[in-house]
Amino acid sequence: MDEIDSQILCALVVDSRASVTELSELVGKSHSATRQRLHKLSTDGTIEKFTIEVNPEVLGLAVDAVVDIKSPGHWPIGEFDAALLNRPEVVDVIYLTGDFDYQIRVNCKSAEELNSILHTLRTELEFEEINVRVALGTAPGFPRSIQPDFELGAIALPVVVDEFEEEVEEEVEEEVEEEVEEEVEEEVEEEVEEEVEEEVEEEVEEEVEEEVEEEVEEEVEEEVEEEVEEEVEEEVEEEVEEEVEEEVEEEPVVVTKVQRRFDIQRAQF
């Protein structure tokens, strides 16, 4: 933790509702850098929580009592702590060394109510010993929070509720924008992948269709060529057969005429 972190923590001790804008102006850093530092302090355990202090008297809780108790030996510590946590009038519990095991702080409306609360606690939780002290008030400036190693001096940051709400709205808007951007990116990626897949499928289909068409054309051409060749061969065979038949038919006539001439000539002699 450096000096800038200490300045931020001191400002938040003075007023935990100080906006990031006010903190950035105080430490002299940009809004984004200050917000990142505040986020780191909140996530690494330095800042445990943001809370407020309420005046008990305004709520009618005029009696503030400190009660030292010694827990019974047969109660497990975790179970005893849980029982104290379930009592809303018990506002603080600390462990002690010495004669007592716990010191609890109780806020209530009257001394009668305090007596009733202590009787109920004593009966339910089986205290072995009890020591009750009623607080008369607190010294000016107390209670106070732990101060980091940085003197903030008299700086007090006035905070307007509207500014705090605006800061919360800005942070929420940034988170929403980031979520929306991520969703949009995912949708765009999915759409692009689908489009690419469709284009690839179309190209593949076109290529397959072209190959099929070429193969079909080649097969058709081969079939046509074969049919033409067969028809040509058949026609040639038919023509050859016809010519042979004609020649065969003409040859006997020619022989007969020659024979007659020879016979006539021989008869004249």
Side-chain angles (χ1 to χ4, degrees), residues 2 111 183 188 191 202 215 224 244 254 266:
D2 58 12
E183 293 178 355
V188 169
E191 291 179 356
E202 291 178 355
E215 291 178 357
V224 169
V244 169
V254 172
R266 189 176 57 178

Side-chain angles (χ1 to χ4, degrees), residues 119-159:
H119 176 73
T120 302
L121 291 175
R122 188 183 297 110
T123 302
E124 291 181 356
L125 303 184
E126 303 174 358
F127 297 158
E128 293 183 2
E129 297 181 20
I130 188 168
N131 181 27
V132 183
R133 289 165 291 173
V134 176
L136 300 177
T138 57
F142 294 91
R144 61 186 178 186
S145 302
I146 298 174
Q147 297 289 332
D149 295 333
F150 177 77
E151 292 296 332
L152 189 61
I155 297 178
L157 300 177
V159 179

Side-chain angles (χ1 to χ4, degrees), residues 43 56 65 70 201 217 235 237:
T43 55
K70 187 173 183 179
E201 289 178 356
E217 290 177 355
E235 291 179 357
E237 289 177 357

